[in-house]
Amino acid sequence: HDDHGQLVVAAYLVNDAPGEGTVMVVAVFHDAAGRPLTRPFNVVKIAGKQDPATPGNCPDAAENRTPLVSKCPIQFIGPKGAVRGTIFVGDTFY
């Protein structure tokens, strides 16, 4: 969505695996001509599957924070001029 001239992409990261994981989440922003502008990423820790999923914020992988949750919001804000953005999961380690 557009937030005062800056494109924002957002999603939920949910761990359906039984064990804790470390996940790289990547966003890609493009200008009106389709050229990539930036590719920000974040590496987060997420708890194993919980029924139902426990929502909350996932910490950066470098932080040693607990308790972990199994569902967390992820958001990236694009640069000025971005008209299209995509968010996806990169590497995942369990």
Side-chain angles (χ1 to χ4, degrees), residues 18-64:
E20 177 182 309
T22 302
V23 181
M24 177 184 287
V25 184
V26 183
V28 178
F29 293 96
H30 294 86
D31 65 12
R35 292 184 297 260
L37 296 173
T38 185
R39 295 184 182 109
F41 69 92
N42 195 5
V43 180
V44 298
K45 289 191 293 189
I46 189 167
K49 182 177 182 176
Q50 299 167 2
D51 197 15
T54 302
N57 292 320
C58 290
D60 290 338
E63 294 180 19
N64 190 16

Side-chain angles (χ1 to χ4, degrees), residues 3-91:
D3 184 20
H4 303 286
Q6 286 189 287
L7 190 63
V8 177
V9 293
Y12 280 104
L13 184 62
V14 179
N15 187 358
D16 286 334
E20 177 182 309
T22 302
V23 181
M24 177 184 287
V25 184
V26 183
V28 178
F29 293 96
H30 294 86
D31 65 12
R35 292 184 297 260
L37 296 173
T38 185
R39 295 184 182 109
F41 69 92
N42 195 5
V43 180
V44 298
K45 289 191 293 189
I46 189 167
K49 182 177 182 176
Q50 299 167 2
D51 197 15
T54 302
N57 292 320
C58 290
D60 290 338
E63 294 180 19
N64 190 16
R65 195 179 85 200
T66 57
L68 296 177
V69 296
S70 59
K71 178 180 180 180
C72 58
I74 301 293
Q75 175 180 289
F76 294 96
I77 301 172
K80 297 273 187 205
V83 297
R84 185 170 53 98
T86 306
I87 189 170
F88 57 94
V89 173
D91 290 333

